[in-house]
Amino acid sequence: MTPDQLSSAIAACLRDAVAAGDFEVDVPSEVRVERPKSREHGDWATNIALQLGKKAGLPPRRFAELLADRLAGIPGVESVDIAGPGFLNIRLDAAAAGELARTIVEAGEAYGTNEALAGHVVNMEFVSANPTGPLHIGHTRWAALGDSIARVLKASGAEVTREYYINDAGNQMNIFALSVYNRLHGLPVPDGGYPGEYIRELGDQVLRAHPGIRELTLEAAIPVIRQLAYEAQLKDIKATLADFGVEFDVYYSELELHSTGAVEDAVDRLREQGHVDDVDGAVWLRTTDFGDDKDRVLIRANGEPTYFAADAAYYLSKKDRGFEEKIYLLGADHHGYVNRLKALAAAAGDDPERNIEVLIGQLMSVNGAKLSKRAGNIIELRDLIQWLGADALRYSLGRYPADSPMTIDPELLKRNTNDNPVFYVQYAHARSRAASVNAEEKGVRRSVFDASLLGHETENELLSHLGRFPSVVAQAASFREPHRVARHLELVAGAYHRWYSSCRVAPLATEPVEDVNRTRLWLNDATSQVLANGLGLLGVSAPEKM
RNA sequence: GCCCUCGUAGCUCAGGGGAUAGAGCGUCCGCCUCCGGAGCGGAAGGUCGAAGGUUCGAAUCCUUUCGAGGGCACCA
């Protein structure tokens, strides 16, 4: 029995009790069952009596007493105890608990998916690094986290589009092009320009694509260089993201917003909504109507649109493309944007509480990371991947919530012991695969499944962690916190190791294969499946061997 | 000055109203005659930054306060 099944069975009991006149209360749509911290408190516990007792006009303990007998009648429930102020502690019989192992094996990769966010149409924008240089440490955390959030959202039934906004418009593109131009002509880096060896590499690529580029005048060369160098740099960014296991569905060009007139349209549309003012020759969006601390300029007095105007057009594009929920992942250094983005959504006629969500993450650092000379003394993502491995990096970034600053310790990540959580979890997976192979070599097959044979204490613990996996995924999705998945995998891995050390899958050489071995193979394989599914959500591989 | 985030074990951190606040590391003590010891079992370690409040119950929610980090462009 899965916790979800238990939870709906309890809700049914509540409805029965109300129908029988035991008490008068509105039955909530969802009854939460929790894993008690102490094993003495049973397999599952619910505080429903504490929540509803008052509403029913009964002391919680009395409410619990009225419910307990009905709960005890649920098939698969062995016993129900009332504890403390009115907790209901539920113990399942071994067969009901063990049935889960078969459920998981049969569900395979689908185990853990759920419908918590079914019907949600989500646009997730993250990374969006300027195409003027390689990805660096500042983009790393959001690449990992954004991708994992997208994965848990999808696993929970949401329709998700991962989107990368390319800032290919502003003046930085001209400076970028000029930096390459100067490099091609052996001139120094321009004021505010981009240093670093990669500019020379880009110059080489531009030269290959356009051998006569050096002969062109500055005015003629810049647009050509800008385009070629931009394409080469974007390709490089995509390649690095691919190495990191991150794929975007849409790369959205800021330049297109300008060239197609979308920016002007956006200003007009906002004006129609009645939130635009003309002051001192500039066009302003009255974001203070919606909680921003000052109004924002859309079109400067010189007629040039601001970056914010493009943001507005981009937001409207997302809205027009049918995205109900627009999630932005920004670094803490951009948190000043939150209010104006929300105000923008409101000015566009959206509900800032529902249609837009801005996730702010704190910055990260890596102890002892080498600065990249080729990129101008920044720490490149490409180098981090090569140094630490994509798996270790993805997992480390995935196991912390976004809102606390973090420091990565490379010495730890390179260690193959269980203070390195990625190894701990991957090891458990590899070990379970090895155990499975070994068992099959000894003649153990999943030909028999008798859940009542899974009665060992460690099996009970392991099963309960496996059973909670789908709700952990659902929670990770609704809180946008994939680290919950990582933490849960660590619990599963720990429970697996404990089980492994007290219950053999394959029999000893001197003993015959019995049903208990066959049944345990199901549990073993169910564990592999959960670990693999969970690691997949984090973008981390689940190795067969290490 | 205003705004946002964070203060939990020696360290790195979980904990989104519930029972005796958890995990890993580090420290100490144990466990390999057969499926991966890259593991497992146990011990020690806490005024949850502080003070009020909300209620049956607060690390969790609210207010104040102290400390750390970040942000407040007609830049992109």
Side-chain angles (χ1 to χ4, degrees):
Chain A
M1 172 156 7
T2 67
D4 285 350
Q5 290 163 343
L6 180 60
S7 150
S8 18
I10 295 173
C13 287
L14 279 166
R15 285 190 292 272
D16 290 350
V18 171
D22 289 359
F23 40 74
E24 188 81 21
V25 75
D26 288 336
V27 178
S29 58
E30 190 186 54
V31 177
R32 274 185 68 185
V33 292
E34 290 176 342
R35 183 73 183 165
K37 281 171 192 156
S38 164
R39 291 287 300 112
E40 295 157 25
H41 294 136
D43 297 321
W44 299 99
T46 177
N47 60 3
I48 194 73
L50 289 125
Q51 285 174 5
L52 297 184
K54 197 174 182 181
K55 291 177 187 162
L58 293 168
R61 266 200 86 96
R62 176 73 194 130
F63 189 98
E65 284 164 16
L66 290 170
L67 197 55
D69 284 347
R70 289 183 187 277
L71 297 190
I74 297 173
V77 168
E78 186 178 279
S79 64
V80 177
D81 295 311
I82 301 166
F87 292 103
L88 283 159
N89 294 329
I90 300 165
R91 205 172 290 278
L92 302 181
D93 64 49
E99 200 56 42
L100 178 68
R102 173 155 61 188
T103 306
I104 293 171
V105 171
E106 284 169 356
E109 287 182 13
Y111 184 70
T113 57
N114 63 87
E115 298 299 309
L117 298 181
H120 289 243
V121 181
V122 181
N123 178 288
M124 270 201 67
E125 183 202 330
F126 58 107
V127 182
S128 296
N130 284 354
T132 52
L135 294 177
H136 56 76
I137 188 167
H139 308 117
T140 308
R141 195 172 185 181
W142 318 130
L145 222 44
D147 179 65
S148 295
I149 291 172
R151 291 183 196 222
V152 294
L153 291 177
K154 280 188 175 179
S156 298
E159 196 179 303
V160 183
T161 299
R162 297 173 175 85
E163 201 152 312
Y164 186 120
Y165 182 52
I166 313 168
N167 296 133
D168 51 3
N171 192 40
Q172 85 278 1
M173 291 305 294
N174 291 327
I175 294 173
F176 172 60
L178 185 61
S179 302
V180 175
Y181 176 92
N182 279 12
R183 196 67 193 231
L184 280 168
H185 290 268
L187 300 168
V189 177
D191 270 357
Y194 297 88
E197 275 303 295
Y198 79 100
I199 291 291
R200 183 185 56 75
E201 292 167 18
L202 288 172
D204 290 345
Q205 293 187 56
V206 168
L207 200 54
R208 271 198 297 279
H210 197 302
I213 192 75
R214 282 207 186 93
E215 280 71 56
L216 296 181
T217 62
L218 178 68
E219 289 70 25
I222 286 294
V224 177
I225 292 175
R226 189 171 53 202
Q227 183 60 24
L228 291 173
Y230 155 78
E231 283 168 9
Q233 187 54 59
L234 188 62
K235 196 174 158 197
D236 172 77
I237 287 173
K238 288 181 181 176
T240 306
L241 287 169
D243 288 345
F244 205 39
V246 180
E247 302 273 350
F248 283 88
D249 302 301
V250 175
Y251 284 83
Y252 202 95
S253 160
E254 181 192 356
L255 203 55
E256 255 176 60
L257 288 170
H258 292 283
S259 65
T260 60
V263 174
E264 287 83 353
D265 285 351
V267 175
D268 291 345
R269 286 168 70 179
L270 291 169
R271 193 185 288 276
E272 282 165 25
Q273 294 278 337
H275 303 295
V276 169
D277 290 327
D278 297 282
V279 179
D280 300 334
V283 180
W284 297 70
L285 183 66
R286 221 165 43 244
T287 51
T288 48
D289 287 354
F290 305 102
D292 198 4
D293 54 357
K294 55 182 293 193
D295 291 335
R296 306 289 167 179
V297 173
L298 289 169
I299 308 290
R300 300 184 188 104
N302 66 11
E304 288 291 313
T306 61
Y307 187 79
F308 184 59
D311 275 346
Y314 186 32
Y315 183 87
L316 287 170
S317 152
K318 290 176 182 173
K319 181 178 160 75
D320 292 345
R321 283 182 285 145
F323 295 108
E324 277 280 297
E325 293 168 50
K326 303 154 202 78
I327 300 179
Y328 292 73
L329 239 177
L330 302 178
D333 54 341
H334 282 70
H335 95 256
Y337 284 40
V338 177
N339 280 343
R340 83 184 68 163
L341 282 173
K342 291 214 156 206
L344 173 58
D350 273 357
D351 177 356
E353 296 302 315
R354 206 169 56 81
N355 299 121
I356 183 169
E357 186 176 336
V358 185
L359 304 177
I360 291 297
Q362 301 294 314
L363 305 175
M364 66 170 275
S365 57
V366 178
N367 282 336
K370 284 194 272 306
L371 296 175
S372 159
K373 205 180 155 203
R374 70 174 283 280
N377 288 335
I378 58 170
I379 299 168
E380 278 195 76
L381 173 54
R382 164 205 329 255
D383 292 343
L384 289 175
I385 293 172
Q386 205 195 353
W387 182 30
L388 303 169
D391 277 351
L393 205 49
R394 287 286 310 250
Y395 191 90
S396 312
L397 293 164
R399 84 184 281 269
Y400 298 98
D403 54 13
S404 64
M406 66 174 297
T407 301
I408 284 187
D409 179 0
E411 291 309 309
L412 188 77
L413 291 187
K414 295 170 88 70
R415 230 178 285 161
N416 296 356
T417 55
N418 70 2
D419 49 341
N420 180 359
V422 65
F423 269 88
Y424 188 74
V425 175
Q426 285 186 317
Y427 176 73
H429 181 267
R431 192 184 206 189
S432 69
R433 294 309 305 139
S436 186
V437 168
N438 178 274
E440 299 213 17
E441 281 170 2
K442 297 257 170 68
V444 181
R445 299 284 180 278
R446 290 195 310 235
S447 51
V448 173
F449 180 75
D450 178 356
S452 69
L453 296 173
L454 297 175
H456 192 271
E457 194 184 335
T458 57
E459 296 181 321
N460 185 294
E461 187 200 1
L462 179 55
L463 283 161
S464 79
H465 289 311
L466 297 178
R468 275 184 49 212
F469 182 67
S471 68
V472 168
V473 174
Q475 271 203 325
S478 48
F479 293 140
R480 286 68 158 113
E481 290 183 344
H483 77 274
R484 289 163 185 272
V485 173
R487 300 289 169 160
H488 189 71
L489 293 183
E490 290 164 29
L491 291 180
V492 171
Y496 176 76
H497 288 312
R498 280 187 289 281
W499 174 63
Y500 182 90
S501 61
S502 40
C503 297
R504 292 187 60 92
V505 178
L508 292 175
T510 54
E511 292 178 359
V513 174
E514 296 186 31
D515 284 354
V516 67
N517 304 107
R518 300 187 180 100
T519 303
R520 282 176 183 166
L521 184 55
W522 286 84
L523 179 56
N524 183 80
D525 293 352
T527 308
S528 305
Q529 189 70 60
V530 169
L531 291 171
N533 292 359
L535 286 170
L537 291 172
L538 296 166
V540 177
S541 70
E544 297 284 311
K545 290 186 170 141
M546 301 178 67

